[in-house]
Amino acid sequence: MEGSAAQAPGKTVLRVVAISGSLRRASANTGLIRAAAEICRESIPGLEVEHVDISELPLLNTDLEGPGPGAFPAAVEAFRGKVRAADCFLFASPEYNYSISGPLKNALDWGSRPPNCWGDRAAAILSASGGSGGSRSQYHVRQVGVFLDLHFVNKPEVFTRAHQPPSKFDDDGNLVDPDTKDQVTKVLLALQALALRLHLGKLAVAAHSS
């Protein structure tokens, strides 16, 4: 586990790296991440969300890696550093052709290059998409997460049907639907609970072995 949860008086502060699988300016999925960050600031102490932009990552090409371990292009090194420093993860992505969006898959792959930066931490998924709400994309992300050694929140699941009434997002991609905000809040609380269980379990193992 790479992340190092910060300690506030009587409280563990978990750093959440949040990644949107859509690069569009008014992306609803990026809007979900903005909403998650706002919810944490306003009502979930101990959980801090940082949106990590993946738009500058090159397409995965191992020819771009240097001769030594960890010799990656600058944008990839910076991204991997953010991933390593996280205590848990939040993904928000549309569904493209029944599967994961290309930008998100590319980010997952760069983070998995040896040594894998994702492993043994909690993760949650949100999605805003068409009729399915992104369900098939979410299940494919979970499948990739098996190799990445991620521990996903299983319930609740949030599949936001972005184009069906009532309106979920404004023209800038900001989440405006109260019911969807409530669903996002429940996912964040479940992510916090799972990440804390994993964190405390690791502390207990370390104490037992010392």
Side-chain angles (χ1 to χ4, degrees):
M1 181 175 180
E2 292 278 357
S4 54
Q7 298 290 331
K11 191 73 176 181
T12 299
V13 179
L14 298 171
R15 291 174 293 187
V16 185
V17 157
I19 298 173
S20 173
S22 174
L23 307 183
R24 191 168 62 87
R25 180 190 62 80
S27 163
N29 286 280
T30 305
L32 288 174
I33 287 176
R34 286 196 299 272
E38 181 180 355
I39 290 166
C40 288
R41 286 193 299 269
E42 293 179 353
S43 61
I44 307 182
L47 206 60
E48 296 180 351
V49 173
E50 178 186 4
H51 175 209
V52 174
D53 182 22
I54 60 172
S55 63
E56 298 301 317
L57 292 177
L59 290 176
L60 182 69
N61 179 355
T62 55
D63 288 344
L64 299 177
E65 298 178 21
F72 297 97
V76 176
E77 285 280 14
F79 171 71
R80 286 171 60 88
K82 294 280 189 182
V83 171
R84 284 193 298 269
D87 296 302
C88 52
F89 304 102
L90 178 67
F91 302 109
S93 184
E95 180 177 307
Y96 290 171
N97 301 321
Y98 285 14
S99 191
I100 306 170
S101 75
L104 177 56
K105 184 60 165 63
N106 189 54
L108 293 170
D109 289 345
W110 271 123
S112 74
R113 294 293 299 155
N116 174 29
C117 295
W118 302 103
D120 205 18
R121 275 164 290 173
I125 318 174
L126 304 169
S127 58
S129 202
S132 74
S135 58
R136 289 163 293 213
S137 170
Q138 287 202 26
Y139 295 142
H140 283 185
V141 172
R142 290 175 182 275
Q143 184 177 17
V144 174
V146 173
F147 178 81
L148 301 180
D149 193 27
L150 287 170
H151 306 286
F152 280 104
V153 169
N154 289 325
K155 300 290 182 182
E157 296 177 302
V158 176
F159 310 122
T160 305
R161 293 169 174 82
H163 311 302
Q164 295 184 9
S167 296
K168 310 296 193 304
F169 302 89
D170 65 18
D171 291 341
D172 294 319
N174 297 306
L175 181 62
V176 296
D177 178 52
D179 290 341
T180 304
K181 287 184 179 180
D182 288 344
Q183 294 172 12
V184 172
T185 300
K186 291 175 182 176
V187 168
L188 291 169
L189 289 171
L191 175 62
Q192 183 182 41
L194 177 58
L196 283 172
R197 286 201 302 272
L198 290 172
H199 177 65
L200 294 174
K202 297 244 175 238
L203 292 178
V205 170
H208 181 73
S209 59
S210 62

